[in-house]
Amino acid sequence: MKKYLVIGNPIEHSLSPRLHNHWFKKNNIEAIYQKKQINENDLKGIIDEIRNDKIHGVNVTIPFKQLVIPLVDDLSFEAKESQSVNTICKEKNKIVGHNTDINGFELALRSRGFNIKNKKIFILGAGGVVPSIILSLKKLDVRKIIITNRTKTKAENLKKFFTNLEIVEWGTTPDFDMIINATSLGLNKNDVIDLNYEKIGSNKIFYDVIYNPIETNFLLKAKKFGNKTENGKMMFIYQAHQSFTIWNKLMPKIDDETIKLLEND
Ligand code: ATR
């Protein structure tokens, strides 16, 4: 039986096993997908297990998407561009790191019919997923990307890789068409993000990368003010879909049953 893993710390919130095990079953693939909380010094052992065919594929999440890069033999174009790896497997005896978050984000926006060409985008956070989101936004031809992070130096580091980013102080609310919460604020139900909702007005797009809980306070409040909202569920499904396709050379179905799998929490 083939073995797959999602590694991270923390990892309890991950619904990846639910999704991948569902697709394995639907496609009659004898495999199991589990989640594992690890520490940084466990990373090399995991890569060795892929090399020795004990593990057949790994998804990487917070906080290891960058840390795993020196341990793999090769990076896909997207992983190299974003310096971020969320999917690993062995290909022709080489351990290859892929990034499926970039396409995942784009497909999620497309699936909702959000057209952000020439729009002004405001990103909260500068953590692991943000380089992928920025690359996706650039592909979608947005006009301007403004970024803010509690620790300003991390936003400034991003500016070294992505020119034309505008940085604003944490706690300020600039004018935008779409705002993206890419911080971990919201993973706890009581978390709130300090934003001037009156100033923002209505009819803006509020996007939260978080999908569990389904509706963070960030989205709840945005809705009350008449904005469009979207959580990270479709991005999560599309990135998983692409990982599954890389590993199994087979595209699983995304239907109502798949989407419902992530809703009964
Ligand atoms: P990492 O920072 O290791 O890449 P991440 O989960 O990918 O981890 O990113 C967490 C993001 O949420 C960061 O932007 C973090 O801000 P800092 O860089 O200042 O740590 C942000 N974040 C987490 N807790 C926060 C809080 N209580 N207030 C504001 N931002 C927070």
Side-chain angles (χ1 to χ4, degrees):
M1 165 138 15
K2 288 193 168 180
K3 192 176 160 188
Y4 295 82
L5 274 187
V6 56
I7 54 170
N9 195 346
I11 199 66
E12 318 87 67
H13 68 281
S14 174
L15 298 181
S16 290
R18 206 183 277 184
L19 204 47
H20 284 275
N21 286 323
H22 167 78
W23 281 330
F24 284 141
K25 206 164 140 203
K26 285 278 167 190
N27 292 286
N28 296 315
I29 297 171
E30 264 200 55
I32 182 155
Y33 186 113
Q34 294 166 320
K35 54 185 161 190
K36 189 168 184 183
Q37 181 164 318
I38 63 155
N39 296 312
E40 190 179 341
N41 52 13
D42 299 321
L43 278 176
K44 196 184 166 302
I46 302 264
I47 300 292
D48 287 343
E49 285 193 88
I50 305 175
R51 223 179 269 287
N52 301 329
D53 300 314
K54 296 213 172 76
I55 301 175
H56 301 86
V58 169
N59 277 138
V60 184
T61 185
I62 287 165
F64 303 119
K65 289 182 182 189
Q66 276 87 25
L67 290 169
V68 81
I69 289 178
L71 302 176
V72 301
D73 304 327
D74 235 334
L75 294 174
S76 72
F77 174 76
E78 288 84 0
K80 205 176 285 172
E81 214 185 7
S82 59
Q83 285 295 299
S84 169
V85 164
N86 77 326
T87 303
I88 308 177
C89 57
K90 190 162 105 175
E91 293 166 28
K92 295 185 189 143
N93 274 323
K94 276 190 169 173
I95 306 297
V96 183
H98 294 265
N99 177 323
T100 68
D101 289 326
I102 301 170
N103 287 336
F105 183 74
E106 177 179 349
L107 290 166
L109 292 187
R110 287 193 191 282
S111 75
R112 273 296 304 268
F114 291 147
N115 182 356
I116 54 166
K117 191 173 169 166
N118 285 326
K119 301 289 186 197
K120 227 187 267 179
I121 317 294
F122 183 34
I123 303 176
L124 308 171
V129 77
V130 172
S132 302
I133 291 178
I134 293 173
L135 282 168
S136 208
L137 293 171
K138 286 189 178 275
K139 267 170 77 183
L140 290 164
D141 270 338
V142 303
R143 178 155 54 97
K144 189 173 194 179
I145 302 174
I146 308 164
I147 188 160
T148 190
N149 194 51
R150 178 182 58 179
T151 313
K152 198 177 177 186
T153 46
K154 272 165 95 182
E156 282 163 351
N157 282 341
L158 281 171
K159 208 174 150 73
K160 289 180 195 153
F161 294 98
F162 304 103
T163 45
N164 300 328
L165 283 186
E166 185 181 321
I167 299 173
V168 296
E169 292 295 327
W170 180 251
T172 49
T173 309
D175 179 42
F176 60 79
D177 301 298
M178 175 164 97
I179 181 169
I180 301 164
N181 176 32
T183 72
S184 45
L185 279 172
L187 282 176
N188 295 317
K189 282 216 162 95
N190 300 327
D191 287 347
V192 282
I193 300 176
D194 192 18
L195 281 172
N196 187 342
Y197 284 82
E198 279 86 6
K199 183 183 164 199
I200 293 167
S202 58
N203 267 319
K204 306 290 162 81
I205 302 173
F206 276 64
Y207 187 98
D208 203 325
V209 172
I210 295 170
Y211 62 91
N212 185 16
I214 291 167
E215 200 162 50
T216 56
N217 286 324
F218 170 76
L219 296 185
L220 261 171
K221 199 152 179 205
K223 222 184 231 176
K224 279 192 194 131
F225 278 81
N227 297 289
K228 293 171 223 157
T229 62
E230 175 75 355
N231 71 11
K233 184 179 63 190
M234 291 316 292
M235 177 182 181
F236 173 69
I237 291 178
Y238 281 117
Q239 64 73 30
H241 186 258
Q242 302 219 337
S243 297
F244 191 98
T245 307
I246 290 170
W247 293 330
N248 300 291
K249 312 276 179 275
L250 185 157
M251 275 167 70
K253 238 193 208 156
I254 298 175
D255 53 16
D256 287 348
E257 196 186 350
T258 326
I259 293 169
K260 279 210 180 78
L261 281 175
L262 307 181
E263 283 177 353
N264 56 358
D265 255 30

